[in-house]
């Protein structure tokens, strides 16, 4: 069993309307995906949101890497962390912690990918 199979299951949630991160419990996110029209997140009701899952990996500075993060380093200049449905895993490997760093995410700094 590899370290990714034992990773902590965590999410962060981007409030699309107010363009900010909100803190939610995992069960709130799961229930929302099951059909609720929105979620209650800290400062009120959030109708438009997107959850990003923690990959179980950290960058070379010890920063947790989430889906949607933009990494820089190694042979790639910048790229977005995504779930690869074809391969059934993240499009990054455990070696990222030695070579890459999180420089932003697609929600706050999408221009980094251009």
């Amino acid at each position: 069993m590899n370290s990714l199979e034992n990773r902590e299951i965590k999410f962060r949630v981007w409030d699309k309307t107010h363009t900010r991160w909100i803190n939610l419990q995992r069960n709130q996110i799961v229930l929302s995906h099951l059909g609720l029209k929105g979620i209650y997140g800290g400062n009120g009701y959030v109708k438009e949101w997107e959850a990003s899952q923690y990959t179980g990996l950290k960058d070379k500075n010890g920063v947790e890497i989430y889906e949607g993060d933009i990494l820089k380093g190694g042979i790639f200049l910048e790229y977005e962390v995504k779930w690869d449905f074809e391969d059934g895993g993240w499009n990054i490997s455990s070696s990222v912690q030695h070579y890459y760093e999180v420089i932003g995410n697609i929600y706050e700094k999408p221009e980094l990918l251009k």
Side-chain angles (χ1 to χ4, degrees), residues 1-2 4-5 20 25 27 31-32 40 44 46 70-71 76 83 90-91 95 110:
M1 196 179 301
N2 67 40
L4 292 180
E5 292 170 340
R20 64 180 176 194
Q25 299 298 319
N27 60 344
L31 288 173
S32 295
Y40 184 79
V46 178
I70 301 169
L71 303 181
F76 299 102
W83 182 260
W90 297 106
N91 66 341
S95 66

Side-chain angles (χ1 to χ4, degrees), residues 4-21:
L4 292 180
E5 292 170 340
N6 293 321
R7 78 181 189 285
E8 181 179 5
I9 304 298
K10 297 194 311 187
F11 294 89
R12 63 183 185 187
V13 176
W14 180 250
D15 177 345
K16 292 180 178 182
T17 304
H18 299 101
T19 61
R20 64 180 176 194
W21 292 105

Side-chain angles (χ1 to χ4, degrees), residues 22-100:
I22 57 175
N23 292 320
L24 295 176
Q25 299 298 319
R26 182 174 152 213
N27 60 344
Q28 287 176 288
I29 295 167
V30 171
L31 288 173
S32 295
H33 276 296
L34 292 176
L36 296 178
K37 299 291 183 195
I39 51 179
Y40 184 79
N43 295 326
Y45 189 71
V46 178
K47 284 182 136 181
E48 294 185 39
W49 57 276
E50 192 164 334
S52 294
Q53 187 174 359
Y54 175 49
T55 63
L57 299 171
K58 295 181 180 180
D59 74 359
K60 68 180 185 178
N61 300 314
V63 175
E64 293 179 341
I65 301 172
Y66 283 80
E67 180 178 17
D69 278 347
I70 301 169
L71 303 181
K72 182 176 185 174
I75 60 172
F76 299 102
L77 294 177
E78 290 97 20
Y79 77 98
E80 176 188 347
V81 176
K82 296 179 181 179
W83 182 260
D84 184 338
F85 287 96
E86 189 173 307
D87 291 336
W90 297 106
N91 66 341
I92 56 175
S93 69
S94 60
S95 66
V96 299
Q97 59 195 354
H98 304 292
Y99 305 106
Y100 296 88

